[in-house]
Amino acid sequence: MLTAGLRRAIGADDPQLRPGPVPGSYTSSLPFRLDPGDPRTAAEGLAARLREQLWIAKAEVTGPGFVTVTVTHATLARLAIRIAHAGPACAESDALAGRTVDPARSAPVDSWPQARAALAAELTVRLATAAGAIIDPERAQVPAPPPPSRGPVAEAVAYAGPDAVRFALARMPPGGRAPEAAVIARHVLANPAYAVRYAHAAAAAVLRWAAALGTRPAGFTPRLLAEPGELALLDALSWLPERVAVAARRGRPDEFAGYLAELAARTIDTMDTSSFRKIPDISSERLWLADAARTGLAAGLGLLGIDAPARL
């Protein structure tokens, strides 16, 4: 959600952001597009304007003309509350507002390339509408084709389950290698199709166990979320709406699925630390962070059309 605010502060539909050197920092290459002949001068003007924002701790020109912005620690930490309160809307933005997209069309899905192409078209529309685009009203929506009843994709669904196959297909790049049913069915964290759903269940478990002990998120003190793993998770969550928009803009839902795998890894690492395992002593701030991770993963999985289980 911070990247959506940063995009508005920069004043560009596509601020060309990439991760900065520390959690809560973002580097923009927009000055190279604004003034290819003198990007550094454009960067200096942009940085000066961004320094006027109270939630931005630092905006500086880096390299030959990049702008690197670092938000305040309180702004990054409060993202935990903002995402938890936003629910599924935490993945939404107005990055593609005013754009129109064609609805996904039905297509045969008996082979892996066919299934990948059909799902990529469907997911691109889903991501684009989450980023503010609208579906062309003059083009009638064609119903999605029924699941394949034969062939390698149907066999994989029967063996690994529809969610595992759908995530593997979503993560498959154009021309990528077809998933192996025996691999994507494995319940191990090295399997992204399982790890993303496991991460959601892990965050949900923290909240469930805390609630069973009568503990729920209440007050919030930003400085109490300061451990490296917590900041890394907050940073990953901050990219959610931007990753949605970029994947839609590029027509590459596999990039968004890859981002969810990274977010899952951050979530699992954080939920596995002692500060989250000792549920009776867990702080309200960490409960908010667990809720934010659960909410962000659920929103991302929902955009891919995949169930977000509370238990696995």
Side-chain angles (χ1 to χ4, degrees), residues 72-78 220-228 230-231 234 283 285-286:
T72 66
H73 173 265
T75 297
L76 182 62
R78 288 195 181 99
F220 188 84
T221 304
R223 63 179 173 80
L224 297 182
L225 286 182
E227 293 184 2
E230 295 167 355
L231 296 178
L234 285 164
S283 69
E285 290 75 20
R286 291 188 172 94

Side-chain angles (χ1 to χ4, degrees), residues 80-126:
I81 289 183
R82 293 178 61 196
I83 289 177
H85 282 167
C90 68
E92 298 175 1
S93 72
D94 58 357
L96 300 184
R99 299 198 183 190
T100 302
V101 294
D102 290 338
R105 300 295 180 180
S106 61
V109 293
D110 293 330
S111 70
W112 285 113
Q114 290 174 336
R116 186 264 163 201
L119 183 60
E122 174 197 332
L123 295 183
T124 297
V125 173
R126 281 174 172 257

Side-chain angles (χ1 to χ4, degrees), residues 250-274:
R250 288 168 49 82
R252 293 290 303 272
D254 58 291
E255 295 179 352
F256 179 69
Y259 158 75
L260 281 186
E262 295 172 7
L263 177 57
R266 296 291 188 191
T267 300
I268 293 168
D269 288 346
T270 304
M271 297 301 118
D272 197 43
T273 60
S274 60

Side-chain angles (χ1 to χ4, degrees), residues 32-76:
F32 291 90
R33 191 175 70 189
L34 296 176
D35 190 348
D38 188 8
R40 192 168 182 85
T41 297
E44 289 171 351
L46 179 57
R49 190 168 76 247
L50 290 172
R51 292 187 198 107
E52 298 174 358
Q53 300 287 328
L54 296 179
W55 56 280
I56 292 177
K58 183 169 56 176
E60 56 188 346
V61 179
T62 54
F66 299 100
V67 173
T68 297
V69 178
T70 304
V71 302
T72 66
H73 173 265
T75 297
L76 182 62

Side-chain angles (χ1 to χ4, degrees), residues 71-209:
V71 302
T72 66
H73 173 265
T75 297
L76 182 62
R78 288 195 181 99
L79 190 64
I81 289 183
R82 293 178 61 196
I83 289 177
H85 282 167
C90 68
E92 298 175 1
S93 72
D94 58 357
L96 300 184
R99 299 198 183 190
T100 302
V101 294
D102 290 338
R105 300 295 180 180
S106 61
V109 293
D110 293 330
S111 70
W112 285 113
Q114 290 174 336
R116 186 264 163 201
L119 183 60
E122 174 197 332
L123 295 183
T124 297
V125 173
R126 281 174 172 257
L127 295 171
T129 53
I134 60 172
I135 295 177
D136 188 344
E138 296 183 0
R139 296 179 178 270
Q141 174 69 54
V142 177
S149 57
R150 56 185 175 79
V153 181
E155 293 171 2
V157 170
Y159 184 86
D163 282 345
V165 172
R166 190 173 176 91
F167 187 86
L169 278 171
R171 196 165 176 264
M172 183 178 171
R177 182 178 178 181
E180 297 180 28
V183 173
I184 63 176
R186 296 180 65 195
H187 285 197
V188 295
L189 297 184
N191 171 22
Y194 172 77
V196 175
R197 290 174 292 151
Y198 174 88
H200 177 272
V206 170
L207 297 167
R208 184 171 63 251
W209 296 333

Side-chain angles (χ1 to χ4, degrees), residues 19-26 69-70 76 235:
V22 297
S25 66
Y26 313 87
V69 178
T70 304
L76 182 62
D235 183 77

